[in-house]
Structures are given as structure tokens and as C-alpha cells.
Amino acid sequence: MISPDLSRTLNALALLVISGILTAAFIDQIANFDLPCPLCLLQRVGFVAVGFGLCLNLVYGPRPQHYGIMIVSAIIGGSASVRQILLHIVPGTGSYGEPFLGLHFYTWAALAFFCITLGAAVMLSLERQVSDPARTPVGLAGRPLAKLAIAVILLVSAGNAVSALLECGPGVCADNPTGYELLDEAEEEVDRMEQAQ
Amino acid sequence: MIALLFVLLTLSKVLLLFQRSMPAYLVFGVAMLLNVYWLNFHITNALALNL
């Protein structure tokens, strides 16, 4: 029903969509100073983890195990989303962040994780994409879309690592972050040194 | 810390690029274990539960 090459193309496109989701969250974080809470960060981790399964499909060819990794990652990431929805589902308990097109980011994330699980399940049901491992070309040679998709997810993943480190520092992330902890501490240290002089 | 999760996941993808599948799986597995640990921590955090 679907060839290995078409499957790899679809996986590359899916990886670009995942990167787009993470990039949109990043843009909102920087442009609107809408800092991610710990559960928000864990949802981002869930998306990056789904990306690992997609990368496996791109490098080694589509395999059921790779789709399994995607589903498990989506379930873990979706758990964080659903948890955050439930924290604010009672009227009057407030919400976290500004809504986007009527839904909060954690609600959109839950929908995305559901779609990822559904998509992986659909791909798992298509048999012809899985070819003999001995004859499946390994690597990204001659696959510019796959290279682009992996490059983008690496960039976004590394960017999230830096952002999370600046926001939380080496310790536990604040439940309601108000600033970038490491940057604030550095600023205070500079002020202290200036005052000492 | 959650930044470590992103670092580990980035590292796992880099290992895949160099076709080191076993180290990649190992690093990914460690990242997922830490992910579940942090998820459990923040889900059961008293401050988060205090509505």
C-alpha cells in the first residue's frame, strides 16, 4: 500500500511539522514572554522524543519498533498535556498562558499527541513500507528532505535545551516562571559587583 | 533538570546521524526514564496541586 520511499518522505514531513510546533512555541515564548512552565517543558520534551522515532525511520528505514517509540513518547507527552488541562478544567481555576485560536497551548499539544498516536497507528497498519533490513539503505544519502528535517529538529532541540537551562538553572523549574533564572542571577551578580566597586 | 532531557535527546539524534544505533537507544532510554521521573515529580508537586 505504501513504498519505503514514500514512507520516509511522510516521516520527514511529519518531523518538519513537529519542528514547526516547537518553533511556534519558541516564538510565543520569545515574542510574548510567555515562559513555559515545567509541564509545558515536558510536553516539548515529548515532541522531541517523538522526533527520535521519526529520525530512526529516516536513517534506518521504517520499522514497527520506531513507530512504537513514537507512540510511547506521544503517550508520555500527552500525559503532561492532559494533566495540565485537568489542572485548569474547573471553572475559576484560571489557566496558563494566553489561548491561541480559542484553545490553550497545552490543549493543542494534547490534540497533537493524539494525532501523532493515530498517525503512527495508521502507518503501522501499512505493511509494504517495511522492507528487508538487509536490503534497506541506511543513512541519509540522496535524501535532502530528510537531512533538512533532521537538521531543523536538532536545532530546535538544542535551542530548547539552552532555553530550559536559562529559565530553570541547574535545579528544579519554578511552577510559575517569571523570568530566566540564570540570566537574572547573572544580572544580580553584575549589580553586586558594580555596587562593591 | 529538564534541560538535561533536551540535551540527551539531541545527543541521541546526533548518535543516529553517525549510525550509532545502540548508544542512541541507550541515551534515549535514559532520557525517557528521567522524563517519567520529572513528569511524576511535577504532577505530584504540592504547589501544582494547591489550586
Side-chain angles (χ1 to χ4, degrees):
Chain A
M1 289 180 66
I2 182 171
S3 67
D5 282 341
L6 177 58
S7 172
R8 270 172 143 151
T9 302
L10 290 174
N11 275 274
L13 291 173
L15 192 55
L16 285 171
V17 169
I18 298 281
S19 301
I21 291 172
L22 289 167
T23 305
F26 231 159
I27 290 171
D28 178 69
Q29 174 182 339
I30 293 170
N32 300 327
F33 206 69
D34 198 2
L35 290 176
C37 61
L39 285 176
C40 309
L41 287 170
L42 290 172
Q43 288 161 60
R44 293 187 187 189
V45 168
F47 283 117
V48 175
V50 167
F52 179 75
L54 290 165
C55 287
L56 280 168
N57 277 337
L58 292 176
V59 174
Y60 292 102
R63 297 272 177 274
Q65 304 91 305
H66 305 163
Y67 289 113
I69 285 173
M70 284 172 57
I71 291 172
V72 170
S73 301
I75 288 172
I76 295 174
S79 300
S81 306
V82 170
R83 171 58 180 169
Q84 195 162 11
I85 290 171
L86 291 176
L87 277 173
H88 303 294
I89 204 167
V90 175
T93 53
S95 60
Y96 191 86
E98 295 299 316
F100 174 72
L101 298 179
L103 297 176
H104 285 91
F105 275 49
Y106 41 85
T107 310
W108 282 117
L111 291 172
F113 284 121
F114 174 77
C115 290
I116 288 167
T117 307
L118 188 61
V122 168
M123 292 299 282
L124 272 170
S125 66
L126 302 172
E127 291 182 9
R128 271 184 52 204
Q129 64 179 305
V130 180
S131 53
D132 180 4
R135 290 186 300 185
T136 303
V138 173
L140 302 174
R143 300 178 198 278
L145 185 62
K147 287 178 188 173
L148 171 69
I150 292 181
V152 171
I153 192 70
L154 279 175
L155 195 65
V156 172
S157 182
N160 271 288
V162 171
S163 165
L165 182 62
L166 289 177
E167 182 184 330
C168 306
V172 178
C173 295
D175 281 306
N176 272 314
T178 54
Y180 294 94
E181 200 173 298
L182 269 191
L183 293 180
D184 292 342
E185 284 175 8
E187 203 176 323
E188 282 171 16
E189 189 61 33
V190 167
D191 289 341
R192 264 199 296 271
M193 284 169 59
E194 283 176 352
Q195 283 174 5
Q197 288 173 357
Chain B
M1 56 179 176
I2 295 178
L4 179 62
L5 296 180
F6 286 112
V7 170
L8 289 175
L9 289 170
T10 307
L11 177 63
S12 66
K13 293 186 182 71
V14 170
L15 288 169
L16 276 185
L17 281 181
F18 290 101
Q19 295 173 25
R20 301 282 187 264
S21 60
M22 280 313 296
Y25 274 116
L26 196 64
V27 171
F28 179 77
V30 169
M32 284 296 101
L33 286 174
L34 286 174
N35 190 11
V36 171
Y37 170 78
W38 279 118
L39 182 62
N40 177 62
F41 176 86
H42 285 290
I43 278 178
T44 54
N45 188 333
L47 187 62
L49 290 171
N50 193 16
L51 292 175

